[in-house]
């Protein structure tokens, strides 16, 4: 199954990066009617590093000055969290700690 319009398939066993540079056109499609939110998505925003292939365990690191929410917890630049797939990672737009329309 391929990625839906608002999600990405993460390949097993390899470090995966999320951002405007790594998924050209994806964020344009997702944010189509709200292009003002594009400034909240960095070129290299998120690093997903697999910890176990079979178990679907990942370290998530925010590479951007723009915060993200990982399973409801805010991560600022350089901070990490561990997640088990499936997991929710949301972009934050607007005030710090307030999840915006690009989640």
């Amino acid at each position: 199954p391929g990625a839906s319009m608002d999600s990405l398939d993460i390949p097993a066993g390899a470090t995966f990066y999320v951002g405007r540079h790594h998924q050209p056109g994806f964020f344009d499609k997702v944010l189509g009617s709200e292009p003002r939110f594009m400034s909240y998505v960095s070129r290299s925003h998120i690093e997903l590093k697999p910890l176990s292939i079979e178990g679907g365990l990942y370290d998530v690191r925010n590479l951007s000055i723009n915060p993200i929410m990982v399973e409801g917890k805010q991560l600022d630049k350089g901070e990490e969290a561990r997640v088990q797939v499936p997991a929710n990672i949301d972009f934050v737009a607007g005030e710090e700690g307030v999840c915006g329309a690009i989640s």
Side-chain angles (χ1 to χ4, degrees):
S4 72
M5 187 172 128
D6 61 353
S7 66
L8 295 169
D9 284 334
I10 309 300
T15 299
F16 186 77
Y17 294 92
V18 177
R20 293 189 332 260
H21 173 76
H22 304 284
Q23 289 80 31
F26 175 79
F27 293 99
D28 294 317
K29 289 177 189 169
V30 170
L31 299 174
S33 64
E34 297 290 347
R36 71 180 189 265
F37 290 126
M38 191 65 79
S39 64
Y40 295 101
V41 181
S42 297
R43 289 179 301 243
S44 287
H45 204 116
I46 300 166
E47 176 188 69
L48 298 162
K49 189 177 291 187
L51 298 175
S52 84
I53 295 172
E54 293 90 20
L57 194 61
Y58 287 83
D59 270 342
V60 178
R61 184 166 57 117
N62 184 4
L63 303 174
S64 172
I65 191 170
N66 297 313
I68 57 173
M69 299 294 285
V70 177
E71 295 294 328
K73 177 184 177 228
Q74 182 168 315
L75 292 186
D76 294 319
K77 184 174 183 173
E79 293 183 330
E80 297 181 6
R82 188 159 289 170
V83 297
Q84 178 77 40
V85 295
N88 290 316
I89 301 172
D90 301 313
F91 292 88
V92 176
E95 295 179 31
E96 190 171 316
V98 178
C99 230
I102 59 170
S103 64

